Amino acid sequence: MIATAELTDPTVRAFVAAVNKHDKNAFDALLAPGATMSDDGSDRDLAEWTDREIFTTRGHMDVVEEADSGRSLVVDYRNDTWGSMRTRWEFTVDGGKVARFETGQA
């Protein structure tokens, strides 16, 4: 596992920390205006998805590996709904904010 503090990209590092601390305010502050996301290749409503998959279900990211200067992660992700699964996360960062992230099973 890669410790959150050791992740290369500072915005992605803050994203993982916000998820793991269940800090919705910090998470929301990291998103660019109009940020988007997809899950398993399908665009989703970002607010609804993150509420359901992260914040009300105690989502947690254990980073296994990173690539693309820290903007591509392989993560052991777990929450109270789905349990644990290996996932991939790809981030588009613009001006220190997450403009888009894509996730899905790895």
Side-chain angles (χ1 to χ4, degrees):
M1 299 294 158
I2 301 171
T4 302
E6 295 175 7
L7 294 173
T8 303
D9 186 277
T11 303
V12 172
R13 182 183 327 124
F15 181 101
V16 172
V19 168
N20 289 348
K21 292 177 183 176
H22 308 116
D23 187 340
K24 187 164 176 18
N25 291 331
F27 181 89
D28 288 344
L30 289 167
L31 300 176
T36 61
M37 60 88 51
S38 72
D39 182 12
D40 284 328
S42 297
D43 280 0
R44 309 288 183 180
D45 178 279
L46 189 143
E48 187 274 328
W49 187 91
T50 57
D51 187 54
R52 183 185 73 242
E53 299 292 338
I54 297 174
F55 295 108
T56 63
T57 57
R58 298 183 320 147
H60 188 86
M61 302 173 81
D62 288 322
V63 179
V64 177
E65 60 187 71
E66 68 173 350
D68 190 26
S69 300
R71 293 189 179 173
S72 178
L73 306 178
V74 174
V75 171
D76 285 336
Y77 185 78
R78 67 181 182 275
N79 68 24
D80 291 343
T81 300
W82 304 108
S84 184
M85 68 186 85
R86 177 111 346 147
T87 56
R88 60 167 177 71
W89 297 71
E90 307 285 336
F91 295 89
T92 302
V93 177
D94 184 16
K97 302 281 186 178
V98 175
R100 180 172 177 82
F101 68 90
E102 299 176 12
T103 187
Q105 292 191 32

